[in-house]
Amino acid sequence: MKRIPRPSLILLLCCLNSSEAKRQYRTALHLTSLTSTSASTTTTSTMRGATTIPAAFALVPEIPTIVAQATSGLATYFGLVAYFDRPRGRLDVDASNIEAKQSQVEGAGLGLYACRDIPEGTILGTYPGVVRPADNYMVKTGKAPDAGVYAWRFTDNQSFIDPTDQNGQLLEYCFGGTDDFPLSYFLHGTILRWKVSTMLSRINEPPIGGGGCNVRSEENLKTREVVFELSRDVYAGEELFMDYGLTYDRTTYGDK
């Protein structure tokens, strides 16, 4: 039944006798009361009649919208984490041309060696790892000091390339991930599994009195890459060496 506005009721009273007017007025008030309280319940028709359900369930049609919005938000979040925490770097030389084994440098661990003669000017690749803002990376080294051994610090001191895992250990491959974003290590290490060889991070500085460097590096601050290139001909069995630059911490050199 259509609701009758209260001003219309007054006009209606003028047209009806008193008893009919009273009955119509009571009916109108009753309908008004029903309308004001109907916001708390929702009536749905079924084959057997009308069924009244709690007003809270009136939100059920909104659930697909909420789920869609949440899914979109998660997709955006994981997309950003996948991009910013991805492993970078590449190995341009054939992996069969180089190998990692015990370095000639005392206490340096593994070094990188040529397995065959490689000519001067050969591009070895770019330094592997995740590009990290300097402040964030320093937080990691506070928890995992070993990470500092392998990270490349850019000359502008704005960022690092970190090839190590969550615990600061250098593995055969870098899968990416940081502790800057929740679930980043899980996303990269378990789901995406993008990987970059860490062989170029095994190149050491030459020992004191050694034969000098045979690898040179060139930074690109715009793309945050470091390109490694042979500065002279290298012969099979020769270890690769490079200068780590002025910013590298050498305070532990000579420690046994």
Side-chain angles (χ1 to χ4, degrees), residues 49-63:
T51 302
T52 300
I53 60 175
F57 286 95
L59 296 177
V60 171
E62 299 295 327
I63 291 179

Side-chain angles (χ1 to χ4, degrees), residues 51-245:
T51 302
T52 300
I53 60 175
F57 286 95
L59 296 177
V60 171
E62 299 295 327
I63 291 179
T65 301
I66 296 173
V67 171
Q69 292 174 344
T71 301
S72 177
L74 286 174
T76 300
Y77 173 77
F78 284 121
L80 292 173
V81 174
Y83 176 78
F84 286 108
D85 289 355
R86 72 191 188 280
R88 307 191 195 186
R90 65 180 188 272
L91 189 63
D92 289 339
V93 67
D94 193 295
S96 64
N97 291 340
I98 54 178
E99 66 175 338
K101 61 182 182 180
Q102 186 62 43
S103 175
Q104 301 173 40
V105 181
E106 185 178 359
L110 298 179
L112 196 62
Y113 291 79
C115 297
R116 62 191 64 184
D117 297 349
I118 307 176
E120 178 184 353
T122 298
I123 302 296
L124 301 176
T126 60
Y127 201 77
V130 179
V131 176
R132 305 282 306 278
D135 291 343
N136 295 9
Y137 177 73
M138 297 310 295
V139 172
K140 178 178 179 178
T141 57
K143 301 175 182 178
D146 289 344
V149 176
Y150 300 103
W152 182 281
R153 179 167 61 179
F154 285 94
T155 52
D156 62 359
N157 294 320
Q158 296 299 308
S159 58
F160 288 75
I161 304 179
D162 177 19
T164 65
D165 68 359
Q166 187 173 3
N167 300 312
Q169 300 301 307
L170 185 65
L171 306 180
E172 184 178 0
Y173 294 100
C174 173
F175 292 95
T178 71
D179 47 14
D180 298 341
F181 301 101
L183 301 178
S184 178
Y185 281 114
F186 173 79
L187 175 67
H188 286 277
T190 305
I191 299 176
L192 298 178
R193 300 293 292 178
W194 298 335
K195 62 181 182 180
V196 173
S197 171
T198 60
M199 292 187 75
L200 294 184
S201 60
R202 296 289 186 184
I203 300 177
N204 293 312
E205 281 196 309
I208 298 176
C213 300
N214 48 28
V215 176
R216 58 173 167 255
S217 62
E218 183 176 353
E219 286 187 1
N220 186 327
L221 295 177
K222 184 176 182 180
T223 61
R224 294 292 157 177
E225 289 183 320
V226 184
V227 179
F228 288 174
E229 178 185 358
L230 290 184
S231 58
R232 64 171 175 80
D233 293 340
V234 173
Y235 302 99
E238 188 175 357
E239 185 171 1
L240 303 182
F241 292 116
M242 64 176 295
D243 184 354
Y244 285 174

